[in-house]
Coordinates of all heavy atoms in Angstrom, one line a residue:
E1 N 0.8 -1.2 0.0 CA 0.0 0.0 0.0 C 0.9 1.3 0.0 O 0.6 2.2 -0.7 CB -0.9 0.0 1.2 CG -1.8 1.2 1.3 CD -2.7 1.3 2.5 OE1 -2.5 0.4 3.4 OE2 -3.5 2.2 2.6
Q2 N 1.9 1.3 0.8 CA 2.8 2.4 0.9 C 3.5 2.6 -0.4 O 3.7 3.7 -0.9 CB 3.8 2.3 2.1 CG 4.6 3.6 2.2 CD 5.9 3.4 3.1 OE1 6.7 4.2 3.1 NE2 6.0 2.2 3.7
A3 N 4.0 1.4 -1.0 CA 4.7 1.5 -2.3 C 3.8 2.1 -3.3 O 4.3 2.9 -4.1 CB 5.1 0.1 -2.6
E4 N 2.6 1.7 -3.4 CA 1.7 2.3 -4.4 C 1.5 3.8 -4.2 O 1.5 4.6 -5.2 CB 0.3 1.6 -4.3 CG 0.3 0.2 -4.9 CD 0.5 0.3 -6.4 OE1 0.0 1.2 -7.1 OE2 1.1 -0.7 -6.9
F5 N 1.4 4.2 -2.9 CA 1.3 5.7 -2.7 C 2.5 6.4 -3.1 O 2.5 7.5 -3.8 CB 1.1 5.9 -1.2 CG 1.6 7.2 -0.7 CD1 0.9 8.4 -1.0 CD2 2.7 7.3 0.2 CE1 1.4 9.6 -0.6 CE2 3.2 8.5 0.6 CZ 2.5 9.7 0.2
L6 N 3.7 5.9 -2.8 CA 5.0 6.6 -3.2 C 5.1 6.6 -4.7 O 5.6 7.6 -5.3 CB 6.2 5.8 -2.6 CG 6.3 5.9 -1.0 CD1 7.4 5.0 -0.5 CD2 6.4 7.3 -0.5
K7 N 4.7 5.5 -5.4 CA 4.8 5.5 -6.8 C 3.8 6.5 -7.4 O 4.1 7.3 -8.3 CB 4.4 4.1 -7.4 CG 5.6 3.1 -7.3 CD 5.1 1.7 -7.5 CE 4.3 1.5 -8.8 NZ 5.1 1.7 -10.0
K8 N 2.6 6.5 -6.9 CA 1.5 7.4 -7.5 C 1.9 8.9 -7.3 O 1.7 9.7 -8.2 CB 0.2 7.2 -6.8 CG -1.0 8.0 -7.3 CD -2.3 7.6 -6.6 CE -3.4 8.4 -7.2 NZ -4.7 8.1 -6.5
K9 N 2.5 9.3 -6.1 CA 2.9 10.6 -5.9 C 4.2 11.0 -6.4 O 4.7 12.1 -6.3 CB 2.9 10.9 -4.3 CG 1.5 11.2 -3.7 CD 1.0 12.6 -4.1 CE -0.3 13.0 -3.4 NZ -0.1 13.5 -2.0
K10 N 4.9 10.0 -7.0 CA 6.2 10.2 -7.6 C 7.2 10.7 -6.6 O 8.0 11.6 -6.9 CB 6.2 11.0 -8.9 CG 5.3 10.4 -10.0 CD 5.3 11.3 -11.2 CE 4.5 10.6 -12.3 NZ 4.4 11.5 -13.5
I11 N 7.1 10.2 -5.4 CA 8.0 10.6 -4.3 C 9.4 10.0 -4.5 O 9.6 8.9 -4.9 CB 7.5 10.1 -2.9 CG1 6.0 10.6 -2.7 CG2 8.4 10.5 -1.8 CD1 5.9 12.1 -2.5
T12 N 10.4 10.9 -4.3 CA 11.8 10.5 -4.3 C 12.1 10.0 -2.9 O 12.3 10.8 -2.0 CB 12.7 11.6 -4.7 OG1 12.4 12.1 -6.0 CG2 14.2 11.2 -4.6
A13 N 12.1 8.7 -2.7 CA 12.1 8.1 -1.3 C 13.4 7.4 -1.1 O 13.7 6.4 -1.7 CB 10.9 7.2 -1.1
F14 N 14.2 7.9 -0.1 CA 15.4 7.2 0.4 C 15.1 6.5 1.6 O 14.6 7.1 2.6 CB 16.5 8.2 0.6 CG 17.2 8.8 -0.6 CD1 16.7 10.0 -1.1 CD2 18.2 8.1 -1.2 CE1 17.4 10.6 -2.2 CE2 18.8 8.7 -2.3 CZ 18.4 9.9 -2.8
A15 N 15.4 5.2 1.7 CA 15.1 4.3 2.8 C 16.3 4.1 3.6 O 17.3 3.6 3.1 CB 14.5 3.0 2.4
Y16 N 16.3 4.5 4.9 CA 17.5 4.3 5.7 C 18.0 2.8 5.7 O 19.2 2.6 5.6 CB 17.2 4.6 7.2 CG 16.8 6.0 7.5 CD1 16.1 6.3 8.7 CD2 17.1 7.0 6.7 CE1 15.8 7.6 9.1 CE2 16.7 8.3 7.0 CZ 16.1 8.6 8.2 OH 15.7 9.9 8.6
E17 N 17.0 1.9 5.6 CA 17.4 0.5 5.8 C 18.1 -0.1 4.6 O 18.6 -1.3 4.6 CB 16.2 -0.4 6.2 CG 15.2 -0.6 5.1 CD 14.2 0.5 5.0 OE1 14.3 1.5 5.7 OE2 13.2 0.3 4.2
T18 N 18.1 0.6 3.4 CA 18.7 0.0 2.2 C 20.0 0.8 1.8 O 20.6 0.4 0.8 CB 17.8 -0.2 1.0 OG1 17.3 1.1 0.6 CG2 16.6 -1.1 1.4
V19 N 20.3 1.8 2.5 CA 21.6 2.5 2.2 C 22.7 1.5 2.6 O 22.7 1.0 3.7 CB 21.7 3.8 3.0 CG1 23.2 4.4 2.9 CG2 20.7 4.8 2.6
Q20 N 23.6 1.2 1.7 CA 24.5 0.1 1.9 C 25.9 0.5 1.5 O 26.1 1.1 0.4 CB 24.1 -1.1 1.2 CG 24.8 -2.4 1.6 CD 24.1 -3.6 1.0 OE1 23.0 -3.5 0.4 NE2 24.7 -4.8 1.2
T21 N 26.9 0.2 2.3 CA 28.3 0.5 2.0 C 28.9 -0.6 1.1 O 28.3 -1.7 0.9 CB 29.2 0.7 3.2 OG1 29.1 -0.5 4.0 CG2 28.6 1.8 4.1
E22 N 30.1 -0.4 0.6 CA 30.7 -1.3 -0.3 C 31.0 -2.7 0.4 O 30.9 -3.7 -0.3 CB 32.1 -0.8 -0.8 CG 32.7 -1.6 -1.9 CD 34.0 -0.9 -2.4 OE1 34.3 0.2 -1.9 OE2 34.7 -1.5 -3.2
D23 N 31.2 -2.7 1.7 CA 31.4 -4.0 2.4 C 30.1 -4.7 2.8 O 30.2 -5.7 3.4 CB 32.3 -3.8 3.6 CG 31.7 -2.9 4.7 OD1 30.5 -2.5 4.5 OD2 32.3 -2.7 5.7
G24 N 29.0 -4.1 2.3 CA 27.7 -4.8 2.6 C 27.0 -4.4 3.9 O 25.9 -4.8 4.2
S25 N 27.7 -3.5 4.7 CA 27.1 -3.1 5.9 C 26.0 -2.0 5.7 O 25.9 -1.4 4.6 CB 28.1 -2.5 6.9 OG 28.7 -1.3 6.3
L26 N 25.1 -1.9 6.7 CA 23.9 -1.0 6.6 C 24.0 0.1 7.6 O 23.5 -0.1 8.7 CB 22.6 -1.8 6.7 CG 22.5 -3.0 5.8 CD1 21.4 -3.9 6.2 CD2 22.2 -2.5 4.3
P27 N 24.7 1.2 7.3 CA 25.1 2.1 8.4 C 23.9 2.9 9.0 O 24.0 3.3 10.2 CB 25.9 3.2 7.6 CG 25.5 3.0 6.2 CD 25.2 1.6 6.0
L28 N 22.8 3.0 8.3 CA 21.6 3.7 8.9 C 20.6 2.7 9.6 O 19.7 3.1 10.3 CB 20.9 4.5 7.8 CG 21.7 5.5 7.1 CD1 20.9 6.4 6.2 CD2 22.6 6.3 8.0
L29 N 20.8 1.4 9.4 CA 20.0 0.4 10.1 C 20.7 -0.1 11.3 O 20.1 -0.4 12.3 CB 19.7 -0.8 9.1 CG 18.8 -1.8 9.7 CD1 17.4 -1.2 9.9 CD2 18.7 -3.0 8.7
S30 N 22.1 -0.1 11.3 CA 22.8 -0.6 12.4 C 22.5 -0.1 13.8 O 22.4 -0.8 14.7 CB 24.3 -0.5 12.1 OG 24.7 -1.3 11.0
P31 N 22.4 1.3 13.9 CA 22.1 1.8 15.2 C 20.8 1.3 15.8 O 20.7 0.9 17.0 CB 22.0 3.3 15.0 CG 22.8 3.6 13.8 CD 22.6 2.4 12.9
M32 N 19.8 1.1 15.0 CA 18.5 0.6 15.5 C 18.5 -0.9 15.7 O 17.8 -1.4 16.5 CB 17.3 1.1 14.6 CG 17.1 2.6 14.5 SD 16.8 3.4 16.2 CE 18.5 3.9 16.7
S33 N 19.3 -1.6 14.9 CA 19.5 -3.0 15.1 C 20.1 -3.3 16.4 O 19.8 -4.2 17.1 CB 20.4 -3.6 13.9 OG 19.7 -3.5 12.7
E34 N 21.1 -2.4 16.8 CA 21.7 -2.6 18.1 C 20.7 -2.4 19.2 O 20.7 -3.2 20.2 CB 22.9 -1.6 18.2 CG 24.1 -1.9 17.3 CD 25.0 -0.8 17.1 OE1 24.8 0.3 17.8 OE2 26.0 -0.9 16.3
V35 N 19.9 -1.3 19.1 CA 18.9 -1.1 20.1 C 17.9 -2.2 20.2 O 17.6 -2.7 21.2 CB 18.2 0.3 19.8 CG1 17.0 0.5 20.8 CG2 19.2 1.4 20.0
A36 N 17.3 -2.6 19.0 CA 16.3 -3.6 19.0 C 16.8 -4.9 19.5 O 16.1 -5.7 20.2 CB 15.7 -3.7 17.6
G37 N 18.1 -5.3 19.1 CA 18.6 -6.5 19.6 C 18.7 -6.6 21.1 O 18.3 -7.6 21.7
R38 N 19.2 -5.5 21.7 CA 19.3 -5.5 23.2 C 17.9 -5.4 23.8 O 17.7 -6.1 24.8 CB 20.2 -4.3 23.6 CG 21.6 -4.4 23.1 CD 22.5 -3.3 23.5 NE 23.8 -3.5 22.9 CZ 25.0 -3.1 23.4 NH1 25.0 -2.6 24.6 NH2 26.1 -3.3 22.8

């Protein structure tokens, strides 16, 4: 549902959880992964 909304409104959407470095790490997801894991 959200994907359809973003497509319809032609939103330029950057998702924290898919920003990825060359070594495969997810720098914007890692801080919340640490919190959620604990």
